[in-house]
Structures are given as C-alpha cells and as structure tokens.
Amino acid sequence: MGQEMLKPRPAVYSVRLEPVGIDMEVEEGETVLDAAFRQGVALPHGCKEGQCSACKCILVEGDVEMLKYSTFALSDPEKESGQVLLCRTVAYSNIEVELLNYDEDLLSRSIAVRDFAGKLVLVEPLTHDIVRIVIDLEQPMKFWAGQFADLTLHGAQITRSYSMGNPPSEPNRLEFIIKKYPGGAFSTAIGKAQIGDTLTIKGPYGTCFRREEREGPMILIGGGSGMAPLLSILMDQAASGERRRVRFFYGARTAKDLFGLEIFAELEARMPDFKFIPALSDPSGDGRWTGETGFIHEVLRRHLFDMDDIEEADAYSCGPPPMIDAALPVLQIAGVDAARIYFDKFTQATPL
C-alpha cells in the first residue's frame, strides 16, 4: 500500500489589534475580517466586500496583500499612508493593526460566525415589491437584534445578505424581509423556490444591533427592507421591559408601500411610550392619507428638534444609502451623539 500523501497545513500568523490589545490568528489565504468572524472577535464591518469603509484601519507592522476593493472605500492616498480594509487584507507574516473605529460594547458581545442548515417554510408577499420569508433552522442561531446573515439558496447557488426580522428570542426560526429588484438574482430565485428547499445561513454579522439598558429615547429610521432589522430591534425592546421612549420613522413612496401596520398598532397599545410614524414622499395618489408627508429626513427634522433629551438618544437607521445619508446630518444637528448613531446601508449586490 502506497504512503498516503498529506496535504500541507496552511501557515498561521498572529494578528495584534490595538488599541484594544486583542490577539488572534489568521490562516494563509484568509482575510483578517473572516478570521475575526471565525474566532468570535467582533470588529467593525459593513459590506464585507471592500465596498464600504467600516473596517478601515492602519497597518502598523507586517506584510499583507489587499484583494480587489473599491477606491470609494479606500482611496489611493489612504492606501499609501498605510491604511487597509480588513475584509480584503490577507496576511503573509505576523501583523499589527490599529483600529480606527471600535466599540467596547461590540467587542464584549462577540458571537462566532457559523454555518446553519435551514429549510424554507414560508414566502409571503407584503407589498408589490417586498416579500417575507421564513426559514426553520436545524440548530438555533444566537444573534443580537438588528444583525444580519448570508443566505445561500442551494437550488440557485446564490448568496445574499439579509437582516433578521424577528427577535433573538426565536433562534430556531428566522424571518427575512426581501425587496424585489428588477432582474434581482436572489429575489427572482426566491419567487421560484419551493417550500422545503434547503438554504445555508451564515452569521451573525453586523454592528447595528440594540444596545441594552440605556436611558433616553430610541429612534428607529427605516425604508424598504430596512424594516427587518428595526422590527427585530423594536420587538426585542418591547420584550425587555425597559421603559424608553421609542419612535419609529419609516419612509415610503405611497401608502401601498406600507406594511405591518397591525403589528405597530399592537405595540403602540402594549409599550409604555411608542409611536410608529410612517411618511409618504408621494402621497398624491392616496387621497385619504392624513399622516406625515415628505422625505424621511424632513419628517425627522419636524420631530427631533422638539425632544428635550435628544442628547441621550440611541438612533438606528437601516435602508437605502441615500435615505441614511440624508438622515445622519439631521440626527447630529438635532443633538444625537455621533457615537450613539448606528446604521446599516442596504445596497444591491454588484460586482466590484
């Protein structure tokens, strides 16, 4: 019998994270961010694909290679000054990096990223272009309210990122709210999927999760499928027993784009101080609409400047990038501490 050939083990390098003083390992060919996910080290991140700048940091020491990324996330002058994106950084030696953004609360609540097997049990239209899907997991997935996961539909071999729309108290059954785009690969595949089809769910990811045991108001701002993480946060907040003032601002174009109104009516009756404030940017075709009109940042401006304790607020914003980019300055001008503004920009999947 011939001698069995053993595959060489990949090289393993050490990574030192400053100024938090955390040490971890990264394998040859593995990005630093993926190594952190695997070991349960919760570093700031967003798209995971080199298209945002959430994981930008400074390479202090060591040899690395950067995989393909967008210069919108890391400009050439930034790269020349030693800055890198951890989601695209592959190590070729022991390295040390200085984190530009880090959150002690985030690091203290780290959850290792894992793969979970699941089956599709429900596909439910919510509006003309938004559907809710429900997946039963073989094993429970621990996550924080507001986080997201990568979903791979096996029949179509397509992977996309979506936020959980249910609270962490339901870890065996995950709900996701998906916006259908013309020609969208995943939303089209889901429309053709059969109940019982298998999926792989990888997670949890995300830093825009509910911070617990805080005082002051909670401000939720969403649009489109950005409803999902905010609904998870809201339901988790309702179950916590905390008595914070909560305001949920949701932007839509017309009344037919609104959904879940019965859920918010029930929560308004049950929670001590909660209001759902939908706003229509184009109410012209909805003659019976008597609620807020205008873009979401305009509606925010009308309400936030009357809050006398706004400096103690936590704000969570999820949805299309233009909506978030318009809302952030209003939050800061109104007096919300920038360190207590959490957001998750939902972008269509596009190749780099």
Side-chain angles (χ1 to χ4, degrees):
M1 182 180 294
Q3 185 176 4
E4 183 179 354
M5 297 296 292
L6 298 177
K7 293 183 179 180
R9 299 182 66 180
V12 177
Y13 303 109
S14 67
V15 179
R16 177 73 174 180
L17 303 172
E18 294 291 2
V20 293
I22 292 176
D23 293 299
M24 65 178 201
E25 294 181 341
V26 60
E27 294 182 352
E28 182 180 6
E30 182 181 38
T31 68
V32 175
L33 188 61
D34 280 341
F37 288 146
R38 175 172 54 83
Q39 294 165 85
V41 179
L43 298 178
H45 61 278
C47 69
K48 313 191 307 297
E49 298 175 347
Q51 297 187 65
C52 74
S53 58
C55 65
K56 187 187 299 181
C57 67
I58 299 171
L59 177 65
V60 178
E61 184 178 304
D63 298 323
V64 303
E65 178 184 337
M66 290 277 291
L67 304 179
K68 192 174 181 181
Y69 62 91
S70 169
T71 54
F72 289 103
L74 184 72
S75 67
D76 290 338
E78 288 174 327
K79 182 180 179 182
E80 292 171 3
S81 70
Q83 297 187 42
V84 295
L85 301 173
L86 295 183
C87 69
R88 312 309 288 168
T89 299
V90 177
Y92 286 94
S93 72
N94 297 336
I95 65 172
E96 179 180 327
V97 297
E98 180 183 347
L99 303 177
L100 296 176
N101 300 293
Y102 63 94
D103 185 329
E104 296 285 359
D105 187 35
L106 172 65
L107 287 167
S108 71
R109 298 173 68 186
S110 299
I111 303 174
V113 170
R114 293 174 47 208
D115 287 337
F116 298 83
K119 287 187 177 181
L120 186 66
V121 297
L122 178 68
V123 179
E124 175 190 18
L126 297 177
T127 71
H128 67 288
D129 64 352
I130 291 180
V131 298
R132 179 173 72 102
I133 70 170
V134 180
I135 299 170
D136 278 351
L137 300 181
E138 292 182 1
Q139 295 181 321
M141 183 175 84
K142 180 180 179 180
F143 65 94
W144 303 117
Q147 290 193 295
F148 66 92
D150 289 344
L151 274 61
T152 300
L153 186 59
H154 290 180
Q157 290 301 310
I158 299 171
T159 300
R160 294 291 185 269
S161 299
Y162 295 102
S163 297
M164 279 69 84
N166 57 297
S169 58
E170 303 170 358
N172 290 88
R173 170 171 285 203
L174 302 182
E175 298 184 10
F176 300 90
I177 295 173
I178 297 174
K179 184 174 178 64
K180 297 188 293 184
Y181 292 98
F186 194 94
S187 56
T188 300
I190 280 292
K192 299 177 180 178
Q194 302 295 315
I195 300 303
D197 282 357
T198 59
L199 300 94
T200 296
I201 299 88
K202 186 174 184 178
Y205 299 106
T207 61
C208 183
F209 57 78
R210 185 177 82 89
R211 269 55 177 182
E212 301 173 0
E213 299 179 359
R214 295 259 185 101
E215 306 229 345
M218 174 185 284
I219 302 166
L220 309 176
I221 307 157
S225 56
M227 171 75 78
L230 300 178
L231 186 58
S232 177
I233 290 172
L234 177 61
M235 295 176 73
D236 194 43
Q237 175 68 24
S240 72
E242 296 178 14
R243 303 185 63 82
R244 304 183 70 177
R245 185 189 342 173
V246 182
R247 297 293 181 268
F248 190 160
F249 300 89
Y250 184 78
R253 195 171 68 86
T254 68
K256 71 177 183 177
D257 299 306
L258 297 175
F259 59 95
L261 300 181
E262 67 286 349
I263 297 174
F264 300 116
E266 187 272 330
L267 289 173
E268 285 182 342
R270 179 158 60 92
M271 295 177 69
D273 191 357
F274 166 64
K275 288 184 180 178
F276 177 64
I277 305 169
L280 302 186
S281 60
D282 182 17
S284 56
D286 303 292
R288 292 178 294 178
W289 178 253
T290 58
E292 299 275 356
T293 61
F295 292 102
I296 197 69
H297 63 280
E298 297 170 335
V299 176
L300 273 176
R301 190 176 292 113
R302 295 175 204 155
H303 288 264
L304 297 189
F305 288 93
D306 291 333
M307 287 189 180
D308 54 6
D309 54 352
I310 192 68
E311 68 281 353
E312 299 177 357
D314 288 316
Y316 303 85
S317 184
C318 304
M323 181 208 74
I324 293 177
D325 291 340
L328 292 182
V330 177
L331 290 168
Q332 293 180 324
I333 293 172
V336 180
D337 185 343
R340 296 179 69 167
I341 299 175
Y342 313 97
F343 59 88
D344 195 354
K345 295 183 178 182
F346 288 16
T347 57
Q348 286 183 256
T350 55
L352 287 173

